[in-house]
Amino acid sequence: MSKAICRISKCKSSGSATGKTQHNYREREVLNADQERQHLNQEYINLERKSIWDIATQRIEAAGVKRKVKPDAVRAVEMILTASADFFERDANGLALDIRGGEWLAKNMTFLEERYGKNVVALTLHQDEKTPHLHAIIVPLTEDNRLSAKEVFTPRTLRALQTDYARAMECFGLERGIEGSKVKHSDMKTYYGAVKSLNNLQEETKEAKALKSSLPDLQIQKQLLEQQLQQEREKFEQEKTAAKLERERLEQEMAKLKFNYEFSKAALNKVEKELAEKKQQEQNRHRGISHR
């Protein structure tokens, strides 16, 4: 039976948000996307294709979040909604049919609206890859109007999300994945394990076909992992640059303090010497008067 698929990844920095913006709006080349099918992609929210970081920040400001947002706060979470590859109808060439205006798409949009409301700040449909899917950008605001991805997307709420999404998709014959499965915690192992299995199970036709049907899902996982790797690389470079600048600033401050110390010490010595000389002169003057 085909599965209802829902995955999330966090926008941990402006760099990671830029990567998602460029990918979602095809501002850079996507290797597994067919350029001839890009006209089938569509934006339903954020039609102007603004930066994910910018629209997330705008939503936070519009919500009136009072607590200062930390620089490393997760301002947005990307949710990918799709289904097993065999769920989507295809033409004679194996290409998925256009789902715009269809019930599956409408149901997904309703699910997002009812669950996250105005906190969904971008929604993009991709049909230029093998398996159609939605990218939803969600600002993790709590009920008491705080920005906290840790509270909005906890292990418990994530399990509930998977269950509730599967229930919403039951009308299409889709079902939830196995609850408690470790697949969601070991994406990299799942990906490389599946590829290795494909190579080792060529003689087992039935199992090989099942694995091949899951390849589009693995491609999405690979895509997410590549994005995450790029995000971590960008974050590392930013932190390294910031550390270098801070070190240079501290060195300059230390040099300045050392100079001021030496200058003040020399000035103090000079004043003490002058005072001693004047004291000596005063003593000599008093001795001269007493001798008279």
Side-chain angles (χ1 to χ4, degrees), residues 98-287:
D98 188 358
I99 64 173
R100 290 176 296 179
E103 293 183 6
W104 181 85
L105 179 60
K107 190 72 171 178
N108 275 272
M109 294 174 70
T110 298
F111 176 81
L112 290 168
E113 171 64 26
E114 292 178 349
R115 198 175 192 92
Y116 301 108
K118 293 181 179 180
N119 293 332
V120 182
V121 294
L123 182 62
T124 303
L125 170 66
H126 281 167
Q127 298 195 92
D128 58 350
E129 298 175 57
K130 187 170 183 180
T131 302
H133 56 276
L134 283 165
H135 290 264
I137 303 299
I138 301 164
V139 178
L141 293 174
T142 63
E143 292 184 0
D144 57 352
N145 222 31
R146 290 179 295 106
L147 181 69
S148 178
K150 291 182 179 180
E151 292 188 32
V152 176
F153 293 99
T154 65
R156 180 182 61 79
T157 62
L158 287 174
R159 287 193 297 271
L161 171 63
Q162 296 290 340
T163 299
D164 294 344
Y165 180 64
R167 286 174 180 169
M169 297 295 113
E170 281 180 347
C171 57
F172 302 108
L174 296 172
E175 67 177 9
R176 190 194 194 286
I178 299 174
E179 186 169 359
S181 170
K182 295 183 180 180
V183 172
K184 60 185 177 182
H185 299 299
S186 54
D187 290 338
M188 185 66 77
K189 289 183 178 180
T190 301
Y191 176 74
Y192 288 111
V195 172
K196 183 177 180 180
S197 297
L198 277 174
N199 294 331
N200 294 335
L201 297 175
Q202 293 179 351
E203 296 181 0
E204 301 179 30
T205 307
K206 185 176 180 180
E207 293 184 29
K209 286 183 178 180
L211 285 169
K212 287 180 180 179
S213 69
S214 70
L215 277 177
D217 301 335
L218 292 172
Q219 289 174 342
I220 292 177
Q221 290 184 25
K222 178 184 177 184
Q223 203 171 25
L224 293 174
L225 289 169
E226 289 174 344
Q227 290 179 9
Q228 183 178 354
L229 178 62
Q230 179 64 23
Q231 293 163 14
E232 294 299 330
R233 184 183 294 113
E234 291 171 350
K235 182 179 178 181
F236 172 77
E237 291 299 329
Q238 290 174 353
E239 292 178 347
K240 184 172 73 173
T241 300
K244 181 180 178 182
L245 292 173
E246 181 63 14
R247 184 183 63 193
E248 292 174 351
R249 187 189 70 78
L250 290 172
E251 288 176 350
Q252 291 174 356
E253 189 68 21
M254 287 295 295
K256 182 178 178 181
L257 290 172
K258 183 178 180 181
F259 174 82
N260 290 339
Y261 171 78
E262 295 296 338
F263 180 86
S264 299
K265 182 179 180 181
L268 178 62
N269 289 339
K270 182 178 179 181
V271 170
E272 289 177 345
K273 183 177 180 182
E274 290 177 352
L275 286 173
E277 289 175 351
K278 287 184 178 181
K279 184 177 181 181
Q280 185 63 46
Q281 290 174 359
E282 187 66 20
Q283 290 176 350
N284 292 339
R285 188 174 68 82
H286 280 298
R287 288 195 191 104

Side-chain angles (χ1 to χ4, degrees), residues 25 45-47 52 55-56 58-60 75-76 117-123 136-139:
Y25 301 135
I45 303 176
N46 188 31
L47 304 183
I52 288 174
I55 58 175
Q58 289 173 7
R59 173 58 188 147
I60 294 168
R75 300 195 180 198
K118 293 181 179 180
N119 293 332
V120 182
V121 294
L123 182 62
I137 303 299
I138 301 164
V139 178

